[in-house]
């Protein structure tokens, strides 16, 4: 069985988390309105108020071990940049490469 065949394609992000641990600059706020930003717990927002707080490259809202089992502790409140990253898209593939994880099939509509 290939590594790709072992990936749970129904919920690949819960076994990955690479995009949430790729770069301290990635989980930035862009188009969120004030209400959405106010809903994110203050302890998870960086000092510049420009994005999520990170520990090294890892988002503080990420729980679990990258490449094994992960979850976003504020999934329903996550910033737009997090919502935009989709399994198998170029950003996902780039983040997975950093952790030596196989690429996922691109799930975006053709």
């Amino acid at each position: 069985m290939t590594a790709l065949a072992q990936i749970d394609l129904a919920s690949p992000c819960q076994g990955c988390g690479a995009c949430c641990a790729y770069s301290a600059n990635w989980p930035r706020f862009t188009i969120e309105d004030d209400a959405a930003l106010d809903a994110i717990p203050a302890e998870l927002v960086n000092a510049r108020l420009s994005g999520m707080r990170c520990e090294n490259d890892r988002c503080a809202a990420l729980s679990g071990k990258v490449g094994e089992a992960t979850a976003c502790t504020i999934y329903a409140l996550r910033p737009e940049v997090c919502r935009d990253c989709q399994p198998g898209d170029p950003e996902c593939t780039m983040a997975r490469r950093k952790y030596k994880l196989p690429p996922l099939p691109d799930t975006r509509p053709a």
Side-chain angles (χ1 to χ4, degrees):
M1 181 182 292
T2 68
L4 184 58
Q6 296 173 20
I7 297 168
D8 179 2
L9 294 177
S11 59
C13 299
Q14 291 180 323
C16 181
C19 62
C20 304
Y22 178 75
S23 168
N25 296 317
W26 197 335
R28 67 202 175 283
F29 302 143
T30 53
I31 61 172
E32 292 78 12
D33 61 24
D34 288 342
L37 294 175
D38 289 344
I40 297 172
E43 66 272 12
L44 296 177
V45 177
N46 69 25
R48 295 182 318 253
L49 306 178
S50 62
M52 298 298 291
R53 183 176 60 79
C54 291
E55 296 163 7
N56 298 312
D57 287 339
R58 184 184 171 110
C59 178
L62 180 66
S63 68
K65 185 171 180 183
V66 173
E68 291 185 16
T70 59
C72 176
T73 61
I74 61 161
Y75 186 79
L77 306 173
R78 70 196 186 284
E80 196 63 36
V81 68
C82 303
R83 294 171 190 276
D84 287 345
C85 188
Q86 297 295 311
D89 74 8
E91 291 80 11
C92 169
T93 300
M94 180 175 57
R96 290 178 64 84
R97 188 177 308 123
K98 176 180 179 179
Y99 288 92
K100 298 179 179 29
L101 298 169
L104 296 173
D106 194 337
T107 60
R108 296 174 298 167

